[in-house]
Amino acid sequence: MTTTTNKFFITGGAGFIGGNFVHKVLGAELGPVLVLDRLTYAGHRATLRSWEGHPAFRFVRGDIGDRALVRQLLKDFQPTFLVNFAAESHVDRSIESAEDFIQTNVVGTYALLDEALRYWQSLKGVEARRFRFHHVSTDEVYGSLGTTGYFTEQTPYAPNSPYAASKAASDHLVRAYHQTYQLPTTLTNCSNNYGPYQFPEKLIPLALMNALEGQPIPVYGDGLNIRDWLYVEDHCDAILQVLAHGERGAIYNVGGNSEQTNLDLLQALFACLGDQADLIREQSRPTVAQSGTRTDIDYRSLITFVPDRPGHDRRYAIDSSKIRRELGWAPKETLRTGLAKTVIWTVKNLAWRDEVLQGTYSGERLGQSKAARD
Ligand code: NAD
Ligand code: TDX
């Protein structure tokens, strides 16, 4: 993607993957960026602070379901690409209550699609031909695999959590807007991401936070559930490839070919922490050191088995041969190099973590209370 005339309207750009995507677009000077983000517990201006005041960056706090706002922003900004990262994204929270997931992931995506359609229909010539609505989705829509096999783009949807069901619904709406109105959509279903700026409720950042503080690391069930892990920048590169070269209406699976049981993943994470023992000693703030940061412990001793997640999918594995073959995408990081980068970033950015956790979440277990009542 060489042109600088592409304009990126990025929803959910103050979140984990969206934030990384904003850094990538602005860092590579791919074009101006407008971020629309509601700043839920998962969205943080701190993630984008380095771009505040930059002429190519604008931030608007708002909801993707606010049609009047979205309409005005589309009219004013005239984007080439609308990339929809905005979502409620944490499975455990969806088990507590699906309300916000339905509102944002389903109703919000519908409103965004409808406003994008209206905007696209107002465009002429080359602008109309180049416009894309890209929807960022997940492998969880496909359900759970047994010990063998992979999710392909043809795998029937079988979402198991309220989160996955809400993402499946939004994917179907994206498909319908392409089929019915020819809205130029693209869609990616990606495996588990990890990397900088991930809110410490997901397994890797939570385990890192707890390891650095010598706190128990909760492992659900037997710890043998399998996920395919992808470094977040590789996911962002895949989305850029799809925007540049993806077929209208196409769906691409994106994965890291990096299947791990949760226990094996934690072992790999602990190995990276061990490699960074000097950095951890140097970078840890005195207050953390006083409250128990240790670099010489056996991190494995922190693993604490806890009751399983209700409806816990056993295995995800992605066949990403389509995007590799058709668009030439491949991940640059291995699990080992990606985890090393993540550990280093985390240790150097403890202040970011403290800021985003203020008053919202302190690592407690989620997704148990409602299932227990039932
Ligand atoms: P995240 O929870 O870190 O960030 C979501 C962002 O969306 C936040 O900044 C939040 O404030 C914003 N947001 C939420 N509701 C909004 C609304 N109604 N209007 C505007 N903004 C709103 O999520 P993430 O992990 O960065 O995931 C981004 C997207 O990628 C999601 O669609 C998710 O389903 C998908 N995905 C995530 C993963 C993963 O491993 N994290 C993997 C595959 C796909
Ligand atoms: O404390 C924990 N202990 C634990 O054992 C947490 C938070 C998770 N787990 C397990 C559950 C899963 O088997 O680790 C695995 C990964 O869990 P999460 O980090 O919650 O991710 P997952 O449920 O697999 O979903 C993620 O990948 C797909 C993202 O959160 C989704 O947004 C994405 O769509």
Side-chain angles (χ1 to χ4, degrees), residues 12 14-18 37-40 42-43 62-64 85-87 89 104 136-138 163 167 190-193 202:
F16 164 47
I17 308 174
D37 196 297
R38 199 179 118 195
L39 297 182
T40 66
D63 197 308
I64 57 168
F85 293 95
S89 70
T104 288
V136 182
S137 192
T138 169
Y163 161 71
K167 292 297 290 185
C190 188
S191 61
N192 287 54
N193 282 218
K202 310 276 166 67

Side-chain angles (χ1 to χ4, degrees), residues 286-352:
T287 49
V288 172
Q290 281 156 21
S291 68
T293 293
R294 294 175 289 173
T295 55
D296 55 351
I297 53 170
D298 179 0
Y299 292 111
R300 284 172 304 183
S301 67
L302 300 176
I303 285 183
T304 306
F305 289 95
V306 297
D308 210 353
R309 170 186 278 174
H312 197 176
D313 286 337
R314 192 62 172 169
R315 174 171 170 259
Y316 303 147
I318 280 265
D319 176 347
S320 52
S321 54
K322 180 180 176 190
I323 190 170
R324 289 169 186 258
R325 189 178 60 247
E326 293 185 6
L327 305 186
W329 172 85
K332 294 190 180 77
E333 304 296 339
T334 63
L335 186 65
R336 186 74 193 219
T337 60
L339 285 180
K341 285 186 171 186
T342 306
V343 167
I344 292 168
W345 184 89
T346 302
V347 175
K348 289 184 172 175
N349 290 275
L350 295 172
W352 176 86

